[in-house]
Structure formats: structure tokens, C-alpha cells
């Protein structure tokens, strides 16, 4: 079973940037066969999908981050990235990466679409 580990979270002022990463400890695993996504969960709120990338590189974003966040996948390094620019206080949350071995997802922002999750990395944006 592939395991995921997020890194790169931290604290930043509004308008700043952060990049979070998601890597796997399995040397034989290749992200090329996985649909992957970033979710986030703020205190007292449900986990919401933020960005998604399919096996052929198609991406989707939730409206609140379009134009500010970019998801990318490096299959050679087995690493998923989320570049976050123009951060807002409302972006403050625990960020999780998720994966499922599938070529395409019809509901990429539903948590039950994924069966592999990381432990999360905290992103805090101050005003």
C-alpha cells in the first residue's frame, strides 16, 4: 500500500506564497497510474477538495483557488505539489494529499473517491 507524506506547510502573511509537497515512501510506486488531489480542512469545517490532477495531467480547481493555486505532479520523483500564491486568511487549514489508482475520476472533489491519504500539513495565513 502506497503511503503519502506531506511537507512544506507553514505560516505566511496574506498575499504570500507557499508550496506544499506530497511524496511516497514506496520506491516502486509510480504516481503515473494515480489520480491525485489536494484537500483541506479548517477547524470546525468539512474537508474540501482544492485541486485535482488526473493521470494524463488534466487539472481541476475549486472556484475559491482558481488563478491562485497550481497543482503539479512529477512522476519521476513521485511527488505531488501545490503551489499557492496570493494566499488569504481563509486558506488557513490542514492540507492533505490523496491518491487513488485510477485513470480518471468523475467526482474528484469527493473524499470517498480516494483510498490513500497523507497525514496533512498545516498552512496558516495571517492578515
Amino acid at each position: 500500500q502506497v503511503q503519502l507524506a506531506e511537507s512544506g506547510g507553514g505560516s505566511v502573511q496574506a498575499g504570500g506564497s507557499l508550496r506544499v509537497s506530497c511524496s511516497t515512501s514506496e520506491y516502486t510506486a509510480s504516481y503515473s497510474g494515480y489520480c491525485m488531489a489536494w484537500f483541506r480542512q479548517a477547524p470546525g469545517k468539512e474537508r474540501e477538495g482544492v485541486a485535482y490532477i488526473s493521470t494524463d495531467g488534466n487539472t481541476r480547481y475549486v472556484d475559491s483557488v482558481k488563478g491562485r493555486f497550481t497543482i503539479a505532479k512529477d512522476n519521476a520523483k513521485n511527488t505531488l505539489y501545490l503551489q499557492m500564491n496570493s494566499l488569504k486568511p481563509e486558506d488557513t487549514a490542514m492540507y492533505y494529499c490523496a491518491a487513488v489508482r485510477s485513470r480518471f475520476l468523475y467526482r474528484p472533489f469527493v473524499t470517498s473517491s480516494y483510498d490513500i491519504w497523507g497525514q496533512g500539513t498545516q498552512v496558516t495565513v495571517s492578515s
Side-chain angles (χ1 to χ4, degrees):
Q1 176 76 337
V2 173
Q3 294 184 346
L4 305 175
E6 301 91 340
S7 62
S11 297
V12 66
Q13 289 191 332
S17 298
L18 277 176
R19 188 179 75 166
V20 291
S21 303
C22 175
S23 61
T24 175
S25 60
E26 296 290 331
Y27 292 108
T28 57
S30 171
Y31 280 6
S32 63
Y34 289 82
C35 287
M36 303 193 71
W38 286 98
F39 284 73
R40 66 185 180 187
Q41 188 168 19
K45 294 187 177 181
E46 293 187 354
R47 192 170 296 190
E48 66 166 346
V50 174
Y52 158 79
I53 187 166
S54 67
T55 54
D56 58 1
N58 288 321
T59 58
R60 288 179 60 180
Y61 299 90
V62 68
D63 287 346
S64 61
V65 307
K66 283 181 180 178
R68 300 190 298 122
F69 289 12
T70 302
I71 187 171
K73 185 169 61 167
D74 187 330
N75 291 328
K77 294 182 178 180
N78 286 346
T79 303
L80 178 74
Y81 302 99
L82 184 68
Q83 176 66 44
M84 301 181 289
N85 299 326
S86 301
L87 282 160
K88 304 175 181 180
E90 51 264 43
D91 295 319
T92 295
M94 186 74 78
Y95 283 71
Y96 300 89
C97 65
V100 62
R101 191 167 185 85
S102 176
R103 294 182 60 187
F104 180 79
L105 294 178
Y106 288 98
R107 299 197 301 170
F109 292 149
V110 174
T111 56
S112 58
S113 293
Y114 302 88
D115 57 6
I116 307 170
W117 292 84
Q119 295 300 307
T121 185
Q122 178 68 37
V123 172
T124 302
V125 184
S126 58
S127 57

